[in-house]
Amino acid sequence: MERGVRNEELGMRVPLPLAGAPAAFGSALRAPTSALVDTFGRRHNNLRVSVTDRCNLRCTYCMPEDVTFRDKSELLTFEELAAVVRVAAKLGVNKVRLTGGEPLMRKELHKLVRMLVAVPGIEDIGLTTNGVLLAEHARELFAAGLRRLNVSLDTLDEGRFFALARRAGLPQVLEGLAEAKRAGFAPIKVNAVAVRGFIEHDAVPLARYCRDHGFELRFIEYMPIGAEPWERDKCVPPSELLATVARAVGALVPANGDPSNPALEFAYADGRGTVGVIASVSRPFCRSCNRLRLTADGKLRNCLFALNETDVKGLLRPAVREADLADALRATVWAKWEGHEINAASFVKPDRTMHTIGG
Ligand code: SAM
Ligand code: SF4
């Protein structure tokens, strides 16, 4: 079978970039049996679990306005999600992040948190949320054992919030952040997608707000994974964002972080707070990528931009087939390509938009 996909923009079929083993080794290389390692030697310990494709916002960079969500019967149950995490943990996964869609749209999410906290080997569980429903769920999530929160917030201006999210909700997000802080969450990161035309107005107010409240601000470069046509010109270089913040809020110095952390981390010189940039487009971190994704409908993806995925729902229903699940996890990681190639002419945008993958 010919490997490749049709690229509508180029009007031609293009090969899949660098998936699987390097040609020089061919099929002589086999996935190891004990760990999630790919052919480039990257060890995967970080699993992103999407719990729903539903969302109460409609961010322009993420999903279309008219969207049909999956039927609940198509989504993995909490027991099924936990089964995948259990098997992944036996293969070395120790970090899990719950995401979506909007994960707090999934009823009783705290029950899943409680199940995952009990999985041997899982040391770190985080949640990425838009924060709209956070005020009502913060305490039950904290009580279930969740400690790390990423809250997506692109602006403190209600008009621009509506322009980006196509829905209102800023006061609820701010209340959610305040309640999460009162509940004891730490760290709380605020993630802002940097879209040219918006972030110029919002970078400084967001930086001041985060510094005042003890939240860690991170700018995320706008990626070609949403429904609207992506334009490179809408990406804002990290240097520009950092210079703007440093000028208006306070001098920044590089902060040494975990080398597998995709963010470029900076700290205010006076020690009061940090600012990071996740520059997936201008400074891809593929070389140290340790992430694997499970979609809400039961597909394993070895990259946000992957064009292939592995179905595991069939390995979970009617009963969990642990050995087959472990094989599927290993094979998915083993088949990972070298990098996403956003910057290459051969880049092909995946069929799924961000909300159906899990950011
Ligand atoms: N609904 C939750 C939220 O917004 O935090 C979780 C899912 S959302 C898909 C996860 C993250 O992806 C959010 O921080 C969001 O801003 C980010 N995101 C969505 N589309 C993006 C894009 N095209 N480029 C960069 N980041 C994007
Ligand atoms: Fe919803 Fe998050 Fe996508 Fe915005 S980024 S539409 S909040 S899933």
Side-chain angles (χ1 to χ4, degrees):
M1 192 182 71
E2 189 190 350
R3 279 178 35 76
V5 287
R6 188 171 167 76
N7 180 322
E8 293 305 336
E9 272 174 43
L10 297 174
M12 60 188 280
R13 201 168 175 82
V14 294
L16 291 179
L18 293 169
F25 298 104
S27 58
L29 275 180
R30 290 277 177 272
T33 51
S34 57
L36 298 175
V37 182
D38 69 16
T39 56
F40 300 92
R42 294 170 295 199
R43 197 169 276 270
H44 288 61
N45 68 327
N46 191 330
L47 178 64
R48 302 211 148 199
V49 176
S50 173
V51 297
T52 181
D53 59 335
R54 268 166 214 277
C55 191
N56 40 8
L57 301 180
R58 297 285 184 279
C59 302
T60 53
Y61 47 68
C62 174
M63 66 158 83
E65 165 82 84
D66 291 321
V67 55
T68 309
F69 295 120
R70 289 190 159 74
D71 189 76
K72 186 153 188 269
S73 62
E74 291 181 54
L75 306 186
L76 298 189
T77 63
F78 284 174
E79 287 69 23
E80 290 168 340
L81 292 168
V84 178
V85 171
R86 245 190 332 270
V87 174
K90 287 182 187 162
L91 298 173
V93 165
N94 57 7
K95 286 178 86 162
V96 172
R97 175 159 294 275
L98 300 176
T99 179
E102 173 45 41
L104 296 182
M105 296 285 282
R106 185 84 190 243
K107 285 203 174 65
E108 303 192 306
L109 188 71
H110 62 281
K111 291 192 174 164
L112 177 63
V113 170
R114 212 174 277 281
M115 289 162 82
L116 299 185
V117 165
V119 173
I122 298 300
E123 296 161 6
D124 182 332
I125 302 176
L127 171 74
T128 300
T129 171
N130 64 27
V132 173
L133 298 173
L134 187 55
E136 56 190 276
H137 295 294
R139 287 189 187 265
E140 67 197 15
L141 289 164
F142 191 86
L146 187 73
R147 293 294 177 269
R148 299 171 74 84
L149 266 187
N150 286 3
V151 179
S152 303
L153 176 62
D154 304 326
T155 177
L156 295 173
D157 177 88
E158 293 208 40
R160 282 196 296 279
F161 186 100
F162 193 87
L164 281 167
R166 300 193 189 106
R167 298 284 186 278
L170 178 60
Q172 290 91 321
V173 179
L174 297 181
E175 181 47 30
L177 276 159
E179 182 62 10
K181 188 175 168 183
R182 286 192 289 270
F185 281 98
I188 298 177
K189 295 185 178 170
V190 168
N191 289 345
V193 180
V195 181
R196 173 82 65 204
F198 287 87
I199 202 68
E200 297 92 325
H201 308 284
D202 295 313
V204 170
L206 280 171
R208 290 206 174 106
Y209 165 80
C210 288
R211 189 159 136 99
D212 289 348
H213 290 82
F215 304 142
E216 297 177 22
L217 175 62
R218 294 196 312 182
F219 297 108
I220 307 179
E221 228 167 31
Y222 172 41
M223 296 181 287
I225 194 77
E228 62 179 7
W230 179 79
E231 293 160 47
R232 187 172 294 277
D233 288 353
K234 285 192 185 166
C235 289
V236 184
S239 52
E240 184 180 324
L241 293 166
L242 293 164
T244 304
V245 170
R247 237 184 346 258
V249 187
L252 292 166
V253 291
N256 294 334
D258 168 359
S260 69
N261 179 350
L264 299 166
E265 297 278 5
F266 291 80
Y268 290 103
D270 65 7
R272 281 189 48 230
T274 62
V275 179
V277 185
I278 302 184
S280 316
V281 177
S282 64
R283 296 180 57 137
F285 45 89
C286 304
R287 236 192 308 171
S288 60
C289 180
N290 58 5
R291 295 176 183 186
L292 177 67
R293 291 180 150 83
L294 175 64
T295 66
D297 59 330
K299 310 279 195 257
L300 287 175
R301 295 176 64 83
N302 56 23
C303 175
L304 183 58
F305 297 94
L307 300 171
N308 299 315
E309 44 190 33
T310 311
D311 180 61
V312 291
K313 208 192 281 171
L315 308 177
L316 293 160
R317 297 179 185 179
V320 179
R321 286 156 44 197
E322 279 212 11
D324 292 340
L325 209 45
D327 284 346
L329 282 157
R330 280 191 293 256
T332 302
V333 170
W334 189 245
K336 186 161 174 155
W337 52 26
E338 187 176 9
H340 56 50
E341 304 209 336
I342 289 176
N343 300 305
S346 55
F347 175 70
V348 181
K349 198 173 147 190
D351 284 342
R352 284 177 181 261
T353 48
M354 187 68 137
H355 76 286
T356 71
I357 301 174

